[in-house]
Amino acid sequence: MQDKGIFNLSRRGMLAGSAASVAVSQGTIASAQASQASSSPPARMAVNLTVNGKPHRLELDTRMTLLDTLREHLQLTGSKKGCDHGQCGACTVMVNGERVNSCLSLAVMHEGDEVTTIEGLGSPDDLHPMQAAFVKHDGYQCGYCTPGQICSAVATLEEIRKGIPSHVTEILTGRMRPTNMEMRERMSGNICRCGAYSNIVDAMTDVARG
Amino acid sequence: MRSFTYERAATPADAARAVASHPNAKFIAGGTNLLDLMKLEIETPAHLIDVGQLGLDRIEKAGDGIRIGTLVSNTALSAHERVREDYPVLTRAIQAGASGQLRNKATTGGNLLQRTRCIYFYDTNMPCNKRAPGSGCAAIGGISRQLGVIGTSDACIATYPGDMAVAMRVLDAAVETIRPDGTMRSIPIADFHRLWGDTPHIETVLEPGELITHVYLPKPLGGKQFYAKVRDRRSYAFALVSVAAVIQPDGTGWVAFGGVAPKPWRVPEADAMLPHGAKAVVDRAFADARPTEDNAFKIPLARRTLAGVLADAKA
């Protein structure tokens, strides 16, 4: 699918357009064009990625993060921008099955990757079990961190199932278990300003028990 | 973020040549530290060479030890069966750092090159000899609670912030590289990070364009292995002090400290004091310390943290 570029037009396109109209009204369009020519335009590159099962080919400014690409180009606004520095976890998505901070990754670094966002986990009519458990246990207040929390929670249970140890795992070579302490430690990269943590762990416990 | 051009390298040698031949080029692998700094325009590369597809993502047996590809993620390294069984101090150190999301993305080589978390390095309104050489150091005389107590200089009192490398220092790892001319070398981790001196912007002994390809861990040391980290939160925070230690049944062993110096801090003569207890070790390891008023607490904290480790080793 080609990038529809709706947000592209509304942001950079609009800014460039309004600058040009100011220049025309002042009769200085030639100098505006000259200054544009002297500074090289931002580098752009093509990237192919699959998001929630759909393949996309996008032509992007190399600076676009995976998060901004999802939100501004693919209109998948479930993933949130909180700190934009990998500290809050609101942007958490899964890349090739592993959770990452989509704000700390460039889209062009994801050529050929498979990305799953909150929109790909479930839908309002067909909730993912973790989404249903968050609803049941009231695992949020304002909801801003929730998409990242849910993506991270799903990945956390998978990491425990795969036997990846954590800081609180007592026996490194033993079987990992989804205990309260394990889930709290493993979710420390997702901040909830409303403080819904205990309900989030309750939701995860429900899903872990199956 | 400043605009930059981007290319994917096909081989390690190509990557090294590409960085050496572009002015202001950098390697990018996981990107978790570099992109953070690029957003703040603390790092402003004009060209990025992505080394993420070089295939250096395996852990292999090599002689009596193991060879870790530079692109092995922190998660994969900490969870690897051989590492958990033979080098548990490394699993413990990695799992004590960052968050699950960051550990999935951060790489072995990139983590060794993680830059300091000094708040004055991050604040572009402040002078910083590391960020802008010759501009001065706002940390000296500033808020220095988190900063270095030993190995620092009059130009910079920042610390190397990581955990993984502290365990690697106790294990006497070697950092393997390729240079732009295609030659390879192996750098003992003891020599990899530099003390700041007058040039705190030069943080490692890597030459321009030199690419880390592997980290080698020698024969397992056995014993009981520990990574004890003290921080302001119980999870997802940088160390005030950390202790990586391997203790043998007879009380001898090896110990390195994190969060205190420009590099993982280990003094062989202090290792030799382990049978005499934590005070003897820390007195020797920190004999040349130059703490600030704010961070002098780190030295008794190091002693108490090590005392806890030694008590656990006897249990």
Side-chain angles (χ1 to χ4, degrees):
Chain A
M1 195 184 93
Q2 280 292 326
D3 166 24
K4 286 188 192 131
I6 298 168
F7 286 83
N8 253 355
L9 182 64
S10 67
R11 297 264 167 97
R12 198 160 285 127
M14 280 297 285
L15 283 173
S18 54
S21 58
V22 169
V24 168
S25 70
Q26 294 175 345
T28 55
I29 193 159
S31 64
Q33 280 170 341
S35 75
Q36 250 180 355
S38 66
S39 63
S40 54
R44 296 180 74 82
M45 243 185 113
V47 62
N48 297 284
L49 54 154
T50 300
V51 181
N52 301 331
K54 282 189 200 159
H56 296 272
R57 181 176 173 78
L58 303 169
E59 181 82 22
L60 299 170
D61 186 317
T62 53
R63 290 171 291 183
M64 287 295 280
T65 60
L66 179 58
L67 174 64
D68 288 341
T69 303
L70 294 169
R71 290 180 54 84
E72 308 288 333
H73 285 267
L74 302 178
Q75 287 76 53
L76 293 168
T77 53
S79 307
K80 296 294 187 279
K81 184 179 284 193
C83 67
D84 209 24
H85 286 276
Q87 296 172 6
C88 77
C91 68
T92 303
V93 302
M94 280 174 273
V95 174
N96 302 331
E98 292 183 346
R99 58 178 169 155
V100 302
N101 299 111
S102 62
C103 75
L104 279 190
S105 204
L106 296 171
V108 292
M109 293 161 68
H110 291 285
E111 176 66 30
D113 283 350
E114 303 217 356
V115 180
T116 304
T117 69
I118 188 72
E119 292 92 342
L121 280 182
S123 65
D125 300 328
D126 183 21
L127 295 178
H128 183 280
M130 190 65 77
Q131 291 173 312
F134 267 61
V135 172
K136 179 182 164 196
H137 289 278
D138 211 11
Y140 43 76
Q141 275 186 42
C142 81
Y144 194 82
C145 72
T146 311
Q149 297 277 4
I150 291 176
C151 285
S152 203
V154 170
T156 288
L157 295 189
E158 183 61 16
E159 287 167 14
I160 293 171
R161 197 190 62 74
K162 282 180 4 199
I164 294 167
S166 85
H167 177 57
V168 299
T169 304
E170 280 185 31
I171 301 165
L172 291 182
T173 50
R175 187 163 159 262
M176 307 298 148
R177 303 178 59 80
T179 62
N180 182 287
M181 279 305 291
E182 282 282 0
M183 290 191 284
R184 292 167 77 101
E185 159 60 26
R186 290 167 190 266
M187 291 292 288
S188 69
N190 289 84
I191 310 299
C192 172
R193 182 63 183 81
C194 304
Y197 298 113
S198 63
N199 292 358
I200 290 170
V201 174
D202 288 347
M204 292 175 70
T205 303
D206 252 19
V207 176
R209 283 177 185 157
Chain B
M1 198 188 299
R2 304 269 180 91
S3 185
F4 55 86
T5 48
Y6 169 95
E7 68 175 289
R8 293 180 194 105
T11 68
D14 287 350
R17 267 196 305 275
V19 162
S21 63
H22 282 82
N24 197 14
K26 275 203 170 289
F27 300 117
I28 188 165
T32 53
N33 191 208
L34 182 59
L35 288 170
D36 180 29
L37 294 170
M38 284 170 66
K39 287 180 182 194
L40 298 165
E41 298 195 354
I42 293 166
E43 294 272 14
T44 53
H47 188 64
L48 288 183
I49 288 120
D50 190 340
V51 296
Q53 310 302 318
L54 295 181
L56 297 168
D57 55 358
R58 282 188 293 277
I59 300 173
E60 294 164 331
K61 194 167 165 24
D64 293 334
I66 60 171
R67 177 167 282 115
I68 304 156
T70 190
L71 298 170
V72 172
S73 73
N74 282 181
T75 300
L77 179 55
S78 74
H80 192 270
E81 196 184 337
R82 282 262 71 74
V83 176
R84 275 196 263 176
E85 287 180 7
D86 292 341
Y87 308 97
V89 64
L90 182 56
T91 294
R92 292 291 184 199
I94 292 171
Q95 288 297 337
S99 67
Q101 291 95 316
L102 289 168
R103 290 190 296 266
N104 282 342
K105 200 84 192 320
T107 63
T108 304
N111 196 295
L112 286 172
L113 300 174
Q114 180 177 199
R115 304 202 68 190
T116 188
R117 301 287 164 163
C118 174
I119 56 172
Y120 298 99
F121 173 71
Y122 266 78
D123 185 345
T124 52
N125 295 309
M126 293 286 183
C128 171
N129 287 323
K130 185 181 285 297
R131 173 167 35 75
S135 64
C137 173
I140 296 172
I143 299 165
S144 57
R145 180 172 178 274
Q146 194 81 25
L147 302 178
V149 297
I150 195 162
T152 53
S153 74
D154 291 339
C156 182
I157 59 169
T159 57
Y160 169 78
D163 295 296
M164 180 194 81
V166 184
M168 286 181 173
R169 179 68 186 90
V170 148
L171 297 170
D172 276 326
V175 182
E176 300 178 348
T177 69
I178 185 165
R179 289 182 279 201
D181 65 3
T183 57
M184 292 180 266
R185 64 169 172 159
S186 175
I187 306 164
I189 194 158
D191 303 332
F192 183 78
H193 295 98
R194 297 172 76 254
L195 297 185
W196 306 141
D198 295 332
T199 53
H201 58 293
I202 305 171
E203 299 176 342
T204 69
V205 297
L206 292 179
E207 296 165 12
E210 188 170 6
L211 176 71
I212 299 172
T213 57
H214 300 87
V215 172
Y216 175 73
L217 298 185
K219 186 180 173 186
L221 295 170
K224 288 187 180 175
Q225 305 199 3
F226 303 89
Y227 191 76
K229 180 174 177 180
V230 183
R231 44 188 161 171
D232 286 336
R233 297 187 295 239
R234 284 188 72 176
S235 186
Y236 198 16
F238 289 96
L240 290 166
V241 166
S242 68
V243 172
V246 177
I247 309 296
Q248 301 292 13
D250 64 1
T252 62
W254 302 266
V255 60
F257 298 88
V260 292
K263 61 198 292 183
W265 194 253
R266 180 166 159 219
V267 176
E269 295 81 3
D271 286 351
M273 304 303 285
L274 275 166
H276 304 288
K279 183 175 186 308
V281 173
V282 169
D283 283 352
R284 183 64 194 84
F286 290 86
D288 301 322
R290 296 196 317 165
T292 66
E293 199 177 325
D294 281 358
N295 67 24
F297 74 91
K298 287 193 175 192
I299 296 166
L301 186 58
R303 189 177 69 235
R304 289 172 194 155
T305 308
L306 178 60
V309 164
L310 297 181
D312 286 347
K314 279 184 190 157

